[in-house]
Amino acid sequence: MKKAAAVKKAPAAKKAAPANQAATKKAAATRPATKPAAKSAAAKKAVPKPTTAKKTAVKNTVTKNTAATPESHLAMVRRARRINRELAEVYPYAHPELDFRNPFELLVATVLSAQTTDLRVNQTTPALFAAYPTPEDLAAADPEAVEELIRPTGFFRAKTRSIMGLAAALRDDFGGNVPGRLDDLVKLPGVGRKTANVVLGNAFGVPGITVDTHFGRLVRRWKWTDEEDPVKVEAVVAEIFPKSEWTMLSHRVVFHGRRICHARKPACGACPIAPLCPAYGEGETDPEKAKKLLKYEKGGFPGQRLAPPPDYPGLPAPPLGAG
């Protein structure tokens, strides 16, 4: 009887084995499904969110907020005038960056400054004015000799025609003197409103706004206007500031554009008016990296004038061919 009971129990044990084996297989079958899920979750955590995405999100939020509460004209005018006051403290020595001793030299130098730097003009004009010190001298010059003297400024043939033409007009129509009226100046060959305003403001003390590439770029960055045409930019800015500020405002803005708020890579991290600038962040915002972008006296380098004013804190520029 005992043996029979033992025999009967054996089959039961055999039946239990398949059940355990089935459970093991079932558990094994469920494991692969669990591991990929865990791995997928871990993989998601391991992938860092790109900082550019965060920056874009922040920028979009700022844009939306700005769009929701646009700056009023009055607020823009107040901000613009504050920028001018701040720039006056940063550049108390702002001045025209062309070397000149009289209105005639300033007029010619300004015409030559088109499509080149003031530095290159300043390096070129000493020899030109030594050879032709008056309008009468320049009007009677040999064009080829003039071309050779101003060649470093570029477009020397067209510029020769302009400066010899304006010299002849000064000789024939104005008694060899540069007129002090905008209407008269813009009639001279090669002279537009920008050149006329430079001469009026700096040789005659007549207020004028000089809209060059730097001025236009900055006033658009600062949201004073979105106009591209220099004449329209001049008209808009003239409505924002009193006439007495026009000439010095032009110098300050141009100084800032040449030294800090560059066209390609503004030094935002070194900009003294960054809190007032709607375009902050278009350039380098890291202070140390931004300092390396500073030019002229702000970067510890020579300026553009060979003979700068006495209060200029930077170094005089070297003459042509020096160094």
Side-chain angles (χ1 to χ4, degrees):
M1 293 293 292
K2 288 181 181 179
K3 286 181 181 180
V7 172
K8 285 181 180 179
K9 285 179 182 178
K14 285 181 182 180
K15 286 181 181 179
N20 292 338
Q21 193 174 13
T24 303
K25 287 181 181 179
K26 186 175 181 182
T30 57
R31 281 192 198 108
T34 306
K35 281 184 179 179
K39 188 175 181 182
S40 176
K44 286 180 181 178
K45 289 180 181 178
V47 177
K49 293 181 179 180
T51 54
T52 51
K54 290 182 180 178
K55 288 180 180 178
T56 303
V58 172
K59 188 174 181 181
N60 290 341
T61 303
V62 172
T63 304
K64 288 178 182 177
N65 292 338
T66 305
T69 56
E71 185 179 44
S72 68
H73 179 73
L74 178 60
M76 181 275 290
V77 169
R78 287 175 175 170
R79 181 171 57 81
R81 292 183 176 183
R82 186 177 171 191
I83 286 176
N84 183 41
R85 292 194 297 272
E86 295 283 343
L87 292 179
E89 293 183 10
V90 177
Y91 307 106
Y93 50 86
H95 59 271
E97 294 194 87
L98 289 169
D99 286 328
F100 68 98
R101 295 169 296 185
N102 53 58
F104 172 63
E105 289 188 356
L106 179 58
L107 177 60
V108 172
T110 306
V111 172
L112 294 179
S113 69
Q115 304 298 317
T116 190
T117 64
D118 286 358
L119 170 60
R120 184 49 58 92
V121 174
N122 292 335
Q123 292 173 326
T124 303
T125 51
L128 177 69
F129 295 139
Y132 312 109
T134 68
E136 290 84 358
D137 294 326
L138 184 57
D142 176 10
E144 291 186 0
V146 176
E147 287 178 2
E148 194 59 33
L149 285 172
I150 69 169
R151 182 184 292 269
T153 67
F155 302 96
F156 57 91
R157 290 191 178 90
K159 289 180 179 180
T160 294
R161 289 193 294 271
S162 292
I163 64 175
M164 290 190 67
L166 71 84
L170 293 177
R171 179 196 61 194
D172 299 339
D173 302 332
F174 299 98
N177 297 311
V178 176
R181 294 177 62 250
L182 187 142
D183 290 344
D184 292 330
L185 285 168
V186 295
K187 293 176 183 177
L188 299 173
V191 178
R193 287 187 67 89
K194 184 196 85 169
T195 297
N197 281 326
V198 169
V199 173
L200 289 173
N202 298 288
F204 294 100
V206 178
I209 296 173
T210 304
V211 183
D212 68 354
T213 55
H214 301 287
F215 192 96
R217 179 178 74 252
L218 267 61
V219 299
R220 284 187 287 272
R221 278 181 177 168
W222 294 335
K223 306 300 182 184
W224 295 0
T225 180
D226 57 1
E227 296 287 354
E228 296 282 346
D229 181 75
V231 176
K232 292 181 180 178
V233 170
E234 180 186 339
V236 171
V237 176
E239 292 293 324
I240 298 174
F241 296 92
K243 196 171 183 178
S244 59
E245 287 290 314
W246 289 357
T247 299
M248 287 310 300
L249 169 73
S250 300
H251 291 323
R252 293 164 192 153
V253 174
V254 172
F255 257 57
H256 193 63
R258 286 175 172 168
R259 285 149 179 78
I260 297 177
C261 196
H262 311 135
R264 293 185 180 179
K265 199 170 185 181
C268 294
C271 180
I273 60 165
L276 300 171
C277 181
Y280 175 79
E282 285 187 10
E284 180 57 64
T285 56
D286 181 84
E288 293 303 316
K289 292 180 180 178
K291 283 181 183 178
K292 296 178 182 179
L293 300 174
L294 301 179
K295 295 182 179 179
Y296 303 113
E297 76 280 358
K298 290 299 180 183
F301 305 109
Q304 298 204 82
R305 293 190 68 167
L306 277 66
D311 62 342
Y312 178 64
L315 302 171
L320 192 65

